[in-house]
Amino acid sequence: MKKVVYIVCLIFLSCEEVIDVDLQQTLDQIVIDAELSRPIGSEEGQLQVLVAKTYDFYGSETPAVTNANISLHVGDESWNVTHQKEGQYSVDIPSLVADTSYKLSVEVDGKTYIAEEELVLSGSFDKVVQGDGQLFSGTETEALITLTDLPDLENYYLFDFGYNNLLVTRDRFYDGKEFTFSFFYDDLFPKNTVVNIRMVGIDEAFFSYMQILLSHSGQNGGGPFAAATSTLLGNFVNPNDETAIALGYFRVVEQKSLPFTAE
Amino acid sequence: MQMRRIGCVTLFLLFLHIAPAQKRVTLSGDVSDSLSKETLLGVTMLIPELNKGTVTNSYGFYSISVPVGEYTLVVQYLGYETKRISISLTENTRENILLDLAAEELDEIVVTDNSEQVNIKKPEMSVNRLLSKTVLQTPAVFGEPDVLKTIQLLPGVTSAGEGASGFNVRGGSADQNLILLDEATIYNSSHLFGFFSVFNPDAIKDLRLYKGGIPAKYGGRLSSVLNIYQKEGNREDFKLSGGIGLITSRLLAEGPLGKGSFVVGGRGTYAHLFLKLTDNPNSAYFYDLNTKMSFPINERNKLYVSGYFGRDVFNVDESFVNTYGNAVLNLRWNHLFSERLFSNLSLIYSDYYYGLLLDFAGFDWNSGIQNLNLKYDFSYYATEKTTFDFGLQSTYYSFNPGFIEPARADSGINAEQLQKKYAMEHALYADVTHDLSDQFSLQFGLRFNHFTRLGQENLFMYANGQTTSYNITLSIYEKGNPIGIYPTDKSSATYSNVEPRLTLSYAFENSALKASYNRLNQYLHLISNTSSPTPLDIWAPSGPHLKPQQLDQWAIGYVAETSSQQSIEIEGFYKNVRNRLDYIDGADLVANDAVEQITMAGDVRAYGAEFLFKKSMGPVQYWLAYTWSKSEQKTPGLGIGDLGINKGKWYPNAYDKRHDLSVNTSYKLNKKWRFNANFLYQTGQPTTYPIGQYEFGGLRVPNYGTRNNNRLPDYHRMDISATLKRPEKNGRQGQWIFGVYNVYNRKNAASVNFRQNRETQQNEAVKFSIFGAVPSVMYRINW
């Protein structure tokens, strides 16, 4: 919808302009980007956690938190999640299964943030082929994505098409069926280069989170139909202090990547 | 209950009070244009000997009952020569009056009998009237005259911006305006996302906007009533008028039809045809068609048939096709039971259709709303001091929130019909307009509404009726969890409301003080969480979970008229709304069958002051309007330890414009040239700016704080136009209209988005604006 308004006005005059806006900012809030995933159909789990802080909107360096104490708890077992570099922490676990509660605990500067989730099962990611369709400008590259949804469950999917192109979809209209849709890369998309397209099966709560996140990050173009928005909170809680909340999300998912090369 | 009793007793007492003491005779008839015989609405008729008067109603009919005697009738209407008729009234007399257009060279006219007094004394306020002529003269983008852009120049009326559809009245949302085209409800008033309105100004005669002081005859929307009356057509000669512009073109035909007349007019854009020539498979266009036929059967009976059909189409390479628009058909019968009792019976069918074909995702989506409406309105002109208006209305609604089906045999889409909803709305109203003395008049009305949402399947039931839930751990609102489904026969809901309406007027020599109070209920909600409606937004009826919105509005005002046709109107208003829907963060409205899970009811309050200075005669005409207002929303918590949206505090809603200044001027230089200019200044739209940024999923994400904590840059622009009349040749009259919209090319912000620059990877604030300076040319021709 927004693209259409954009096109209609582009016909007449240029519509976008960078402007100076003074912002009143609140900084140094903790942000935790945590994914515990396994490849679809396999059992070995991999946990990747990125801990950082919020920073100046016009700045460029994300301040990583390198001194966090992170642990993953499953029933009676615990794993220490070790720091690799620049605020990235990871650990591998031998088995990631459904109907089990996984709890992530992140402690930074004396404050502890906890998130607890269960594994979300995903449909299968079948294939990616190039199509020859076009959208608005005639220079787009079409990728045809085929997935098969799990029947009788409400399934949601997050696609990462590379180059900061993300998309979320739900099986509302294609429950249980094989479904093919198109994604259009714009003209900056490189040809003859392998890009990994990743599909992640997610739950409704993370789907809602990502929808808002994508609209905040300008992925959906903005434009005149802006919904009133406010702070996006994820699933981390601070059991000791309600006011000190961490942003970000901990999800436990299944994923699959397929390579795609455009000609 | 108390209200009802008080209302009935008051009406009854007033009825007794006006029982005539001496023999009264009735003077009645129609007032029409002498050349085209088009009826004229709102013509003032004054009887100076009695210092009493009346105005013609929306069908051009007037009726005034006075004691037997000899009188002068002064008939006055803007743009026409005032007529004086000597009448000797001994019995009921039918006097149809023809008015002549005023001579083109118009010097300042001194009005001696002050028939404008009739309008000043009337117990009505918060109403603005516009003639179609004013709309046609006001410069607009692409040279296409526009009803909605013109009413935004009135005090108290703003819009969310150039790409925004609809308009906002006194801090109310766009779905709170009752838009009537010849009495039929129009659901989406804009073409192409608000660039144009759906009303063809050539087919329109007159329009009236009530921002408050809404008479009991109207109901169902809280903020305003925009009444648009179509022309009936020239009853004497066949006339054609057309126009070709850069973007739109139009053609209108009118003429006699038997004893009556007809009008058929159409307009459309044709830029897409050029795209076709260049093999570009994309197109965006709109077209609309207005028709009306009138059949006067005899002096007491007239029949009218009106219709409207409009469509917007966006087609991107056949893979994205969006079609939507209104269709309306209206049958009306004016019947005079006697010289004092006028009635109008209307049968109306109204339809709004929205269709979206997304071939690249394999689905076809259709949604819409239809209604069938019966109205029977009566006006009883009892005496020269008293008029009764009463009637009943019934509407049957059918809502289709969406039907989705696969667009191709191989698309993986499952066909699905979202739950259709049905509702019935009945209303009974009565109101009396009465002069208590020479200075003091009042209009008091009562409206009884009865709204029923009919039973349906699949209506969710919730514990404690709590449709939204609060996640205490995460401090966020989430969708409510249904505990079951209502049996169909228990899933209906009924609302009955009484609405008192009162307007008072105390008149002085050339001015009057006014005060009003309205109570209004709105049973339909436009489900939309954006600052202006999108065509995809669905109307939902009130029901067991969604309560009707309810408003109380108080206003006081002062209006004064000087003898050189200048007037001043000052008003202050205060509006209080309950059950206004607010949306939880991240509310997903698309294809949502259980909208109650993502909405919470809140309150809105809006207040402000309006100032209007107008000069409406002479070669230089203008109006200047200034409004100061505030409009805020508060959504309290569910009562389980939560605070509510934005912590339950008042926050500016999307229609909060602190200052709104508009100027509309017109200067007639000579027979050939006329110049027009507008200037508009509005405080920027409330919006939310980031308070920082962070990274997630490889993306850089702006971090936002509280809702609407900032404002977009202020909006202002100036438009000018010049009209050149060619000399008349063989009965053809042409004119060239040159215009520039947004003369000083200010790129007003429609929105400001915060995102990462693709090349430098730095964050930036990007202003999205729609129109810079847009020149336009149009050629119009009348036969």
Side-chain angles (χ1 to χ4, degrees):
Chain A
M1 196 58 67
K2 290 144 198 165
K3 277 236 160 72
V4 183
V5 181
Y6 189 86
I7 292 304
V8 173
C9 83
L10 261 189
I11 295 173
F12 302 102
L13 293 142
S14 70
C15 302
E16 290 193 335
E17 192 184 313
V18 177
I19 57 173
D20 271 325
V21 177
D22 263 329
L23 298 172
Q24 286 157 316
Q25 307 198 50
T26 308
L27 304 177
D28 294 329
Q29 281 185 284
I30 300 293
V31 184
I32 306 170
D33 182 354
E35 185 189 81
L36 173 58
S37 67
R38 71 177 197 192
I40 296 176
S42 150
E43 250 199 37
E44 286 156 18
Q46 221 201 8
L47 172 63
Q48 303 261 22
V49 185
L50 189 59
V51 185
K53 292 191 183 172
T54 64
Y55 57 107
D56 179 14
F57 184 75
Y58 296 114
S60 42
E61 277 298 312
T62 172
V65 172
T66 54
N67 61 344
N69 287 322
I70 309 183
S71 49
L72 178 67
H73 307 269
V74 189
D76 298 324
E77 292 182 82
S78 278
W79 282 271
N80 199 18
V81 190
T82 46
H83 182 238
Q84 310 300 327
K85 61 169 176 140
E86 290 167 9
Q88 290 168 19
Y89 302 72
S90 66
V91 81
D92 290 337
I93 60 175
S95 105
L96 173 53
V97 291
D99 300 318
T100 313
S101 176
Y102 293 87
K103 184 163 101 165
L104 185 71
S105 161
V106 179
E107 186 258 309
V108 180
D109 296 334
K111 294 194 164 65
T112 309
Y113 310 99
I114 310 227
E116 204 165 335
E117 291 289 337
E118 286 190 17
L119 177 64
V120 180
L121 294 173
S122 168
S124 65
F125 186 14
D126 302 330
K127 60 180 192 275
V128 185
V129 291
Q130 184 172 4
D132 54 8
Q134 288 297 307
L135 208 55
F136 298 101
S137 64
T139 56
E140 290 99 355
T141 306
E142 181 184 18
L144 289 158
I145 313 289
T146 306
L147 63 90
T148 303
D149 183 63
L150 296 177
D152 300 325
L153 279 179
E154 271 181 27
N155 299 103
Y156 302 82
Y157 301 98
L158 167 66
F159 280 90
D160 183 347
F161 292 99
Y163 302 97
N164 290 342
N165 288 307
L166 270 73
L167 180 147
V168 283
T169 174
R170 57 183 169 151
D171 69 353
R172 179 67 199 280
F173 302 118
Y174 51 85
D175 188 32
K177 296 183 70 185
E178 183 189 88
F179 177 65
T180 301
F181 68 94
S182 307
F183 180 78
F184 293 91
Y185 289 96
D186 62 17
D187 54 348
L188 292 178
F189 183 66
K191 307 272 193 309
N192 300 316
T193 318
V194 181
V195 147
N196 277 317
I197 297 184
R198 187 172 189 254
M199 178 180 97
V200 181
I202 60 182
D203 67 354
E204 188 178 4
F206 188 52
F207 171 81
S208 305
Y209 179 87
M210 283 306 295
Q211 266 202 325
I212 302 179
L213 190 103
L214 292 176
S215 83
H216 282 188
S217 74
Q219 285 289 302
N220 296 336
F225 301 126
T229 192
S230 52
T231 315
L232 174 60
L233 295 174
N235 63 351
F236 281 97
V237 293
N238 183 334
N240 306 317
D241 183 358
E242 260 182 21
T243 57
I245 319 172
L247 304 175
Y249 212 94
F250 170 52
R251 58 266 192 211
V252 185
V253 292
E254 292 190 304
Q255 52 84 17
K256 178 159 177 187
S257 283
L258 287 178
F260 174 63
T261 315
E263 275 129 47
Chain B
M1 242 327 139
Q2 195 69 332
M3 272 295 198
R4 256 178 257 226
R5 268 196 232 119
I6 296 176
C8 289
V9 170
T10 318
L11 279 173
F12 184 62
L13 284 175
L14 280 172
F15 189 75
L16 287 184
H17 173 77
I18 52 86
Q22 52 196 126
K23 176 157 162 61
R24 274 181 158 68
V25 288
T26 307
L27 177 66
S28 63
D30 297 327
V31 181
S32 319
D33 178 299
S34 60
L35 292 174
S36 68
K37 306 293 188 301
E38 184 84 46
T39 53
L40 300 172
L41 323 182
V43 178
T44 55
M45 342 253 309
L46 176 70
I47 297 181
E49 292 88 346
L50 295 174
N51 200 19
K52 290 277 178 242
T54 185
V55 293
T56 54
N57 72 6
S58 45
Y59 295 92
F61 175 78
Y62 77 93
S63 168
I64 184 165
S65 297
V66 293
V68 168
E70 307 229 337
Y71 304 106
T72 325
L73 184 66
V74 181
V75 185
Q76 198 208 11
Y77 193 60
L78 201 60
Y80 288 82
E81 304 222 343
T82 304
K83 202 155 197 178
R84 281 178 164 64
I85 304 172
S86 293
I87 280 197
S88 175
L89 283 175
T90 50
E91 54 180 10
N92 292 339
T93 308
R94 174 102 191 178
E95 181 82 21
N96 292 333
I97 297 168
L98 296 173
L99 291 183
D100 303 307
L101 272 172
E104 283 295 322
E105 281 101 48
L106 219 48
D107 287 339
E108 304 283 319
I109 280 193
V110 177
V111 178
T112 50
D113 287 301
N114 210 354
S115 25
E116 268 312 299
Q117 258 280 306
V118 174
N119 275 329
I120 295 177
K121 279 170 66 168
K122 268 174 30 163
E124 78 177 7
M125 65 182 299
S126 315
V127 183
N128 290 114
R129 206 173 128 237
L130 283 181
L131 292 173
S132 139
K133 188 179 75 163
T134 311
V135 176
L136 287 168
Q137 284 174 14
T138 303
V141 71
F142 304 127
E144 174 65 30
D146 192 294
V147 168
L148 297 187
K149 299 280 188 298
T150 310
I151 66 173
Q152 282 169 39
L153 297 170
L154 295 170
V157 186
T158 57
S159 92
E162 276 143 350
S165 103
F167 55 99
N168 306 108
V169 176
R170 293 187 171 175
S173 63
D175 69 328
Q176 290 176 343
N177 302 318
L178 180 63
I179 303 175
L180 299 174
L181 181 64
D182 274 353
E183 313 231 23
T185 309
I186 297 288
Y187 288 94
N188 181 354
S189 55
S190 297
H191 280 307
L192 295 191
F193 302 111
F195 293 166
F196 305 99
S197 74
V198 302
F199 308 109
N200 182 347
D202 288 337
I204 290 172
K205 183 155 59 174
D206 201 332
L207 60 92
R208 201 158 302 214
L209 177 69
Y210 293 89
K211 302 173 300 202
I214 297 176
K217 183 173 178 192
Y218 303 106
R221 302 280 191 279
L222 302 184
S223 285
S224 77
V225 179
L226 177 61
N227 231 334
I228 300 179
Y229 304 98
Q230 291 193 120
K231 279 163 57 161
E232 281 151 33
N234 192 319
R235 269 202 249 162
E236 294 292 310
D237 298 306
F238 181 75
K239 296 240 181 260
L240 267 181
S241 72
I244 303 179
L246 291 178
I247 305 294
T248 54
S249 287
R250 64 213 314 118
L251 189 62
L252 185 113
E254 57 178 315
L257 185 68
K259 276 204 287 180
S261 59
F262 77 95
V263 170
V264 176
R267 85 191 154 147
T269 56
Y270 53 88
H272 65 291
L273 296 174
F274 295 116
L275 287 176
K276 279 212 164 62
L277 289 176
T278 61
D279 277 332
N280 188 319
N282 303 328
S283 55
Y285 59 92
F286 79 82
Y287 60 90
D288 53 39
L289 203 65
N290 290 71
T291 63
K292 186 161 171 181
M293 290 179 282
S294 59
F295 307 101
I297 298 174
N298 53 38
E299 282 269 302
R300 286 181 179 247
N301 291 288
K302 290 191 201 168
L303 276 178
Y304 300 92
V305 180
S306 327
Y308 167 85
F309 184 83
R311 279 296 181 261
D312 282 35
V313 179
F314 288 97
N315 187 332
V316 181
D317 198 14
E318 302 293 332
S319 78
F320 173 100
V321 184
N322 188 203
T323 315
Y324 59 87
N326 299 288
V328 157
L329 181 64
N330 186 352
L331 274 71
R332 286 178 296 170
W333 174 38
N334 278 176
H335 176 65
L336 278 179
F337 286 95
S338 74
E339 296 78 14
R340 296 190 206 184
L341 185 57
F342 173 92
S343 76
N344 179 58
L345 176 64
S346 305
L347 182 63
I348 302 162
Y349 172 75
S350 179
D351 179 294
Y352 176 69
Y353 167 79
Y354 180 88
L356 180 63
L357 167 67
L358 286 183
D359 200 59
F360 62 85
F363 77 78
D364 198 354
W365 161 283
N366 295 308
S367 69
I369 173 173
Q370 291 154 350
N371 65 265
L372 195 58
N373 189 353
L374 187 75
K375 289 196 216 184
Y376 209 172
D377 297 308
F378 297 84
S379 291
Y380 180 61
Y381 301 91
T383 71
E384 75 277 16
K385 289 195 226 177
T386 312
T387 307
F388 290 95
D389 287 302
F390 54 96
L392 52 86
Q393 297 166 6
S394 262
T395 310
Y396 173 74
Y397 297 96
S398 161
F399 301 87
N400 177 9
F403 175 64
I404 185 165
E405 59 186 342
R408 311 174 245 114
D410 61 335
S411 103
I413 297 286
N414 296 327
E416 182 179 339
Q417 167 71 60
L418 268 69
Q419 189 64 45
K420 283 197 180 169
K421 302 171 178 65
Y422 303 94
M424 295 233 41
E425 188 174 336
H426 303 294
L428 202 63
Y429 71 91
D431 98 19
V432 55
T433 307
H434 179 62
D435 294 341
L436 289 165
S437 74
D438 263 352
Q439 278 87 29
F440 194 33
S441 323
L442 66 73
Q443 181 178 43
F444 177 67
L446 278 179
R447 185 182 172 96
F448 301 87
N449 291 328
H450 185 82
F451 180 86
T452 307
R453 166 139 156 201
L454 303 174
Q456 60 168 88
E457 295 169 356
N458 300 325
L459 184 69
F460 291 129
M461 213 189 286
Y462 302 88
N464 300 326
Q466 206 170 284
T467 60
T468 337
S469 66
Y470 183 67
N471 184 323
I472 297 186
T473 356
L474 300 181
S475 304
I476 55 175
Y477 285 99
E478 293 174 336
K479 287 164 39 165
N481 290 314
I483 55 172
I485 294 186
Y486 284 100
T488 307
D489 56 334
K490 294 259 184 322
S491 65
S492 64
T494 302
Y495 295 98
S496 289
N497 301 93
V498 181
E499 298 176 353
R501 317 278 180 93
L502 176 65
T503 309
L504 304 169
S505 166
Y506 192 87
F508 304 99
E509 182 72 35
N510 278 321
S511 57
L513 268 178
K514 313 233 177 154
S516 70
Y517 166 74
N518 281 3
R519 154 71 62 91
L520 285 145
N521 290 283
Q522 180 162 336
Y523 303 98
L524 301 192
H525 312 261
L526 183 67
I527 305 301
S528 161
N529 63 350
T530 52
S531 54
S532 85
T534 72
L536 180 55
D537 292 331
I538 306 290
W539 287 88
S542 296
H545 301 304
L546 295 183
K547 311 259 179 304
Q549 306 175 43
Q550 197 176 66
L551 161 128
D552 287 310
Q553 181 176 174
W554 290 266
I556 52 169
Y558 174 73
V559 53
E561 192 113 358
T562 68
S563 59
S564 53
Q565 287 299 311
Q566 290 174 324
S567 65
I568 286 186
E569 281 172 38
I570 306 178
E571 274 193 36
F573 65 89
Y574 182 84
K575 285 163 85 157
N576 205 330
V577 178
R578 288 168 288 287
N579 293 325
R580 175 79 194 154
L581 289 182
D582 203 348
Y583 300 87
I584 63 179
D585 281 340
D588 188 6
L589 303 182
V590 178
N592 191 330
D593 244 347
V595 171
E596 67 271 6
Q597 293 176 352
I598 49 158
T599 55
M600 288 169 66
D603 295 329
V604 169
R605 71 174 176 212
Y607 49 91
E610 294 172 7
F611 174 81
L612 177 66
F613 180 75
K614 199 164 60 167
K615 178 175 183 294
S616 39
M617 286 186 85
V620 178
Q621 299 178 8
Y622 55 83
W623 80 67
L624 187 141
Y626 172 71
T627 309
W628 181 98
S629 66
K630 246 181 128 158
S631 180
E632 346 176 78
Q633 173 124 12
K634 175 173 82 165
T635 308
L638 304 166
I640 47 172
D642 57 320
L643 294 170
I645 291 183
N646 219 45
K647 299 200 170 55
K649 297 213 187 92
W650 289 102
Y651 67 92
N653 63 24
Y655 330 106
D656 180 35
K657 298 269 168 94
R658 191 73 62 249
H659 305 283
D660 172 24
L661 175 72
S662 5
V663 182
N664 178 336
T665 64
S666 170
Y667 173 48
K668 195 171 169 64
L669 177 62
N670 53 34
K671 274 202 175 138
K672 282 183 11 179
W673 286 98
R674 190 182 62 238
F675 300 97
N676 287 77
N678 292 341
F679 175 72
L680 187 62
Y681 180 98
Q682 285 179 16
T683 310
Q685 185 83 9
T687 186
T688 314
Y689 281 170
I691 55 171
Q693 67 168 313
Y694 57 95
E695 280 191 22
F696 188 91
L699 296 174
R700 285 171 53 168
V701 187
N703 188 21
Y704 289 99
T706 53
R707 280 195 194 188
N708 288 347
N709 60 346
N710 295 98
R711 290 208 175 253
L712 291 180
D714 289 348
Y715 179 103
H716 54 90
R717 66 163 214 270
M718 180 186 290
D719 313 316
I720 57 174
S721 72
T723 307
L724 170 60
K725 264 202 168 130
R726 315 286 339 275
E728 203 172 309
K729 216 165 70 163
N730 301 334
R732 288 205 307 264
Q733 162 90 77
Q735 17 176 324
W736 285 98
I737 304 164
F738 307 97
V740 184
Y741 176 87
N742 197 350
V743 165
Y744 50 84
N745 198 22
R746 177 178 166 85
K747 300 281 177 70
N748 285 302
S751 65
V752 174
N753 301 310
F754 294 88
R755 40 178 222 234
Q756 197 175 18
N757 184 301
R758 300 285 294 270
E759 279 124 51
T760 68
Q761 303 295 308
Q762 281 293 94
N763 272 348
E764 50 192 15
V766 181
K767 177 178 75 169
F768 179 74
S769 55
I770 301 187
F771 295 120
V774 183
S776 65
V777 181
M778 187 176 281
Y779 183 67
R780 297 178 64 100
I781 185 161
N782 296 332
W783 284 261

